Amino acid sequence: MWLLLVLTIAYGCASVPHTGRRQFNMVPDAQLNALGTNAFNEIAGRESLSKDEHVNSAVKRVVERVTAAAEATDKPNFKWEVRVLENKDPNAVCLPGGKILVLSGIIPYARNEAGLAAIIAHEVAHAVARHGGERVSQAVTVNGALQLGSLALSKDGGKLDARSKRILGALGSGALVGILLPYSRVHEFEADRIGQIYMARAGYDPTEALRLWERMSQIKKPPIPPWLSTHPTDQDRLRKLREFLPDAMKIYNDAPRKHGKGSDL
Ligand SMILES: [Zn+2]
């Protein structure tokens, strides 16, 4: 009991950068990052990688700039890596520890490097703010079967078992394991805001984030079930992005280097 209490105090009381929200996080970073790395290797090893040179080099460039901005701002000290997967889903994820997967289906929506920077900065922000850890913590608390000590991905006949898929869903890679688990409104707004800061500091025009989310709002999404009604609407998201834009523009104007929209994709 005391051990649990100490763990809760040690890991439970963190606050999110830039928003100051207190968060409940029971999973130690080292464990969460190891889980992210395992999941990254597992997924990247089984999916086919994109061979599009133009896209791969643009993704690499954007990831370098955005993650440098995240490190300069919040020092997450991640070991960043990225793979572009050949997959028609318009999606991307940054797993704990800085492991990024970009699905080729999102490239037409990104349209240019700045749009891509908005997507990647948003996903990186989810990871730096430890949103996946918070969701896994909730699962651990709600479902005693998920023991912290054994928080690893396990396989059943070579495939990830149902529990591992649930963990991956909680870490934001639902698109790749078939478990729909959108982030809550609080997590989405936080990732949008922190993402705007990262993309602006990386030297990408933050007004492109609004254009990106306008394009993303055209995507026909599966209907959100009522228990997920805390997911933000596209209108809410665009309103909040617009509200924060003047602050993001200040950061952009002070950025060491400016790339504007960057090259087209
Ligand atoms: Zn998100």
Side-chain angles (χ1 to χ4, degrees), residues 2-264:
W2 280 109
L3 180 66
L4 182 66
L5 207 62
V6 170
L7 276 175
T8 308
I9 290 164
Y11 301 113
C13 302
S15 63
V16 176
H18 310 285
T19 67
R21 180 177 63 85
R22 305 295 288 172
Q23 65 181 175
F24 174 67
N25 214 331
M26 275 179 65
V27 190
D29 282 351
Q31 200 178 350
L32 199 61
N33 296 352
L35 195 63
T37 305
N38 285 351
F40 179 80
N41 293 336
E42 161 74 34
I43 295 169
R46 99 175 121 81
E47 303 276 323
S48 46
L49 303 180
S50 164
K51 293 187 181 69
D52 187 324
E53 299 261 340
H54 179 62
V55 166
N56 271 293
S57 62
V59 168
K60 193 164 168 272
R61 200 162 45 238
V62 169
V63 165
E64 271 168 18
R65 288 171 181 164
V66 167
T67 58
E71 286 293 342
T73 314
D74 297 315
K75 300 184 178 55
N77 224 341
F78 286 168
K79 293 194 172 60
W80 303 99
E81 254 188 283
V82 63
R83 297 281 184 282
V84 184
L85 308 179
E86 203 53 65
N87 186 313
K88 62 178 177 10
D89 248 313
N91 230 311
V93 64
C94 178
L95 291 157
K99 308 299 182 189
I100 302 165
L101 296 164
V102 176
L103 277 53
S104 57
I106 207 163
I107 300 298
Y109 293 95
R111 197 165 289 182
N112 53 44
E113 274 183 48
L116 189 58
I119 294 161
I120 289 172
H122 173 95
E123 297 305 323
V124 161
H126 274 308
V128 174
R130 296 187 186 87
H131 290 162
E134 244 181 298
R135 298 208 303 181
V136 173
S137 301
Q138 284 161 7
V140 169
T141 315
V142 173
N143 177 355
L146 276 183
Q147 291 295 318
L148 269 182
S150 62
L151 201 59
L153 300 175
S154 43
K155 290 182 183 177
D156 184 5
K159 293 203 168 126
L160 289 170
D161 67 12
R163 195 202 67 145
S164 298
K165 285 188 180 175
R166 271 209 313 281
I167 294 176
L168 284 176
L171 294 181
S173 38
L176 290 158
V177 292
I179 296 203
L180 178 75
L181 203 59
Y183 280 109
S184 70
R185 191 186 294 256
V186 168
H187 283 175
E188 282 306 319
F189 289 149
E190 247 172 34
D192 281 343
R193 183 180 179 131
I194 299 170
Q196 272 179 299
I197 295 171
Y198 292 166
M199 92 176 272
R201 185 164 176 152
Y204 287 110
D205 181 352
T207 54
E208 288 298 311
L210 276 119
R211 302 210 176 95
L212 165 85
W213 287 109
E214 266 160 23
R215 291 193 291 275
M216 295 287 279
S217 72
Q218 312 297 315
I219 300 176
K220 269 249 174 291
K221 297 175 198 75
I224 300 267
W227 53 274
L228 284 171
S229 60
T230 61
H231 195 70
T233 64
D234 295 322
Q235 288 73 22
D236 288 345
R237 156 167 271 149
L238 284 164
R239 182 174 50 77
K240 290 262 190 184
L241 285 166
R242 227 172 269 124
E243 258 171 39
F244 192 64
L245 191 58
D247 288 327
M249 284 308 287
K250 277 193 208 118
I251 299 168
Y252 175 60
N253 289 328
D254 291 340
R257 257 184 233 108
K258 289 188 192 61
H259 315 289
K261 289 185 192 180
S263 63
D264 284 343

